[in-house]
Amino acid sequence: MKKFVVALLCLMMLLSLFSCDMTEDKNISQTDPEAPKEGENNDTVPSETEKTMEIYKAVINGELCVVDENLGETKLKSLRFPSNDTSLDECKLLTKAIFDIDQDGNSEYVIQSPDNEYIILRYYNAKVYSYYLYSCDFYNFNTDGTFYWCNSPNTVGMECGLSKIIFDGEKLNTKSIYSLKYSSKYEYFVGGEAVTEDEYYDYRSQIIHKDEMKFSQFELTHSYPITAERAWNLANAYWDNQDGRSECSAGTNWTARIELIDTPSSETNYYRVAFKVEWSSNGGGEGDECKPPHSIHLHDQILVNAFTGEITTPACESGSKCISVEEAIEIAKNHEAYMNGDTYDKYNEENGYRFELDVNEAAPDHIYVIVVLKYDTDHYSFHTRTWIDKYTGETVFSYYVNGKG
């Protein structure tokens, strides 16, 4: 009997040892070094900015509506630019910028038309609101939400200034930073209050230097392997990332702009991209910083294949749509008449004018340079020179000895 009890105790001790080993093995197997500890969550929580961008993406894709003051809740593609009643769905060559207009920590999505009209998308109280800004209201956006505006590029009746966009709940308002007005004399304002000329320029000198917001290409739908934004980036790289480069010389600023001027169609498979140069006053005169460029010169252009991204230079070959020299001369005649307020018929040899292709002018290959000669006493002498794009027929630059230009 004693032997039986001893054997039973030994068996129980042995089972106990196995039980402990199995428990330890179980505890070890449940300890995962990659598993989150108690009270921790390894899932990345999107920031408010990321959430807002996802909302904008859903609006662009047509999954969510916007709240428009005129149309109510509607799809983004149905919004229309006021000046020509063109819908976003119909409009080509759109650009976009994403930045925090009112510095509240949430970015706005700004869509720009080729005519410099703007639609602003703003995510507020779980809805996306849309607002319109007209090109006549302002010149350009700055990264701090301010914008320059000028109701007239001329001196007579001029009113110019710097303002800032302010959101008040669902409404968009503007706040004047500084402005000047001229009719018979100059009047100066800071924050909407009249000030002296010295006070105005002292305040203006402290804040005049603003960083302009850069816009990039925008498409509602992508129809080709190379998107418009990708084509623009390829073109900008081709021209050594010149977009936005600016220099000042002899009282004038010039700024390089890379712009899409045509998109692929059923007849073409390329984007046409232009290198343009804007010329503007450097802020030395009254309201100069508020005025749009006084001239824009088309310096160069390329084609970007919409399927491969290959870059080529346009060529006027047989079967292309390039205008002829004769057509360029007719365009130059119309331009001459327009600039001088005259009739087209005035500009012929009977009235002392001759239009010729200037073969010696140092101009890009895609430009016809038409020189206008005028008979003076006993010979023809140089009068004006006009640059005309061979591919579009656009007058891109003019040099005038007298008159407008």
Side-chain angles (χ1 to χ4, degrees):
M1 184 69 177
K2 183 185 287 188
K3 290 182 179 180
F4 176 78
V5 172
V6 171
L8 182 60
L9 289 173
C10 290
L11 179 61
M12 292 176 64
M13 290 175 63
L14 185 62
L15 290 173
S16 176
L17 287 173
F18 276 109
S19 177
C20 289
D21 288 343
M22 291 174 65
T23 303
E24 288 174 2
D25 287 344
K26 185 178 180 181
N27 288 339
I28 291 172
S29 67
Q30 289 179 340
T31 304
D32 182 2
E34 300 298 325
K37 296 178 182 179
E38 186 176 352
E40 291 184 351
N41 185 353
N42 282 358
D43 292 336
T44 302
V45 178
S47 66
E48 288 302 315
T49 299
E50 290 171 329
K51 290 179 182 178
T52 300
M53 294 312 300
E54 286 299 317
I55 294 293
Y56 290 146
K57 183 178 179 180
V59 167
I60 293 168
N61 291 337
E63 300 164 8
L64 293 176
C65 289
V66 298
V67 181
D68 182 77
E69 61 180 348
N70 298 318
L71 302 175
E73 289 201 6
T74 186
K75 297 291 187 181
L76 179 64
K77 66 180 182 180
S78 300
L79 297 183
R80 312 186 81 84
F81 289 104
S83 67
N84 54 17
D85 200 35
T86 303
S87 70
L88 277 178
D89 200 29
E90 301 168 325
C91 191
K92 295 182 178 181
L93 307 177
L94 295 170
T95 54
K96 71 175 187 300
I98 303 168
F99 61 110
D100 189 357
I101 291 177
D102 56 348
Q103 287 83 54
D104 66 346
N106 236 356
S107 294
E108 280 70 42
Y109 203 108
V110 183
I111 302 171
Q112 181 185 41
S113 79
D115 298 322
N116 292 330
E117 291 186 285
Y118 299 82
I119 291 176
I120 299 176
L121 303 180
R122 180 189 179 222
Y123 182 54
Y124 174 73
N125 272 0
K127 292 184 179 181
V128 177
Y129 293 86
S130 60
Y131 310 89
Y132 299 94
L133 288 177
Y134 299 80
S135 56
C136 59
D137 290 336
F138 66 100
Y139 165 40
N140 66 273
F141 265 124
N142 300 310
T143 54
D144 62 355
T146 59
F147 58 90
Y148 293 109
W149 56 272
C150 192
N151 69 356
S152 173
N154 304 311
T155 302
V156 179
M158 180 181 70
E159 189 172 0
C160 299
L162 178 72
S163 295
K164 182 175 176 60
I165 290 177
I166 302 293
F167 291 108
D168 181 12
E170 301 169 3
K171 302 296 182 182
L172 181 150
N173 299 312
T174 59
K175 175 185 177 182
S176 176
I177 306 299
Y178 67 75
S179 62
L180 64 84
K181 185 186 298 184
Y182 181 83
S183 53
S184 58
K185 66 176 183 177
Y186 280 106
E187 299 177 73
Y188 304 92
F189 303 87
V190 171
E193 301 292 331
V195 295
T196 66
E197 181 179 356
D198 289 341
E199 290 172 331
Y200 171 83
Y201 280 105
D202 180 61
Y203 182 79
R204 172 179 171 269
S205 66
Q206 300 174 38
I207 61 172
I208 189 174
H209 301 291
K210 296 287 184 181
D211 294 324
E212 183 180 338
M213 189 64 215
K214 289 187 177 182
F215 283 77
S216 59
Q217 298 308 131
F218 172 81
E219 292 176 296
L220 273 176
T221 57
H222 305 303
S223 304
Y224 298 90
I226 302 298
T227 65
E229 184 168 6
R230 175 64 175 153
W232 185 94
N233 288 332
L234 289 169
N236 193 33
Y238 174 84
W239 283 305
D240 298 324
N241 299 306
Q242 290 283 321
D243 184 67
R245 181 188 168 198
S246 183
E247 290 187 9
C248 177
S249 177
T252 300
N253 283 338
W254 69 263
T255 303
R257 303 289 187 195
I258 310 301
E259 294 182 9
L260 259 67
I261 56 176
D262 201 3
T263 56
S265 67
S266 58
E267 299 179 359
T268 64
N269 63 347
Y270 55 76
Y271 298 92
R272 189 182 296 275
V273 191
F275 185 134
K276 295 185 178 182
V277 178
E278 294 179 352
W279 298 89
S280 58
S281 301
N282 67 358
E286 297 281 5
D288 278 351
E289 78 278 10
C290 307
K291 299 175 183 178
H294 54 67
S295 66
I296 301 175
H297 170 202
L298 195 156
H299 177 69
D300 198 5
Q301 60 178 297
I302 58 174
L303 306 178
V304 180
N305 191 290
F307 293 94
T308 66
E310 179 187 5
I311 292 176
T312 56
T313 302
C316 288
E317 300 173 348
S318 177
S320 69
K321 292 186 176 180
C322 292
I323 65 172
S324 65
V325 175
E326 291 74 19
E327 289 172 318
I329 287 176
E330 296 303 302
I331 292 170
K333 286 183 180 180
N334 273 310
H335 185 68
E336 187 76 21
Y338 167 75
M339 294 302 291
N340 293 285
D342 296 323
T343 61
Y344 167 85
D345 294 335
K346 174 181 176 179
Y347 293 92
N348 52 49
E349 291 198 43
E350 292 180 4
N351 291 318
Y353 290 93
R354 183 192 299 169
F355 289 73
E356 297 178 354
L357 178 68
D358 190 342
V359 295
N360 298 316
E361 179 68 23
D365 291 339
H366 67 276
I367 294 293
Y368 284 127
V369 179
I370 305 299
V371 61
V372 184
L373 304 174
K374 186 175 181 181
Y375 193 82
D376 186 15
T377 61
D378 59 351
H379 67 282
Y380 281 96
S381 60
F382 170 77
H383 179 58
T384 66
R385 182 178 285 119
T386 301
W387 289 28
I388 297 172
D389 190 304
K390 294 179 181 179
Y391 312 106
T392 65
E394 178 187 4
T395 300
V396 295
F397 186 71
S398 296
Y399 174 73
Y400 285 78
V401 175
N402 298 304
K404 305 174 185 178

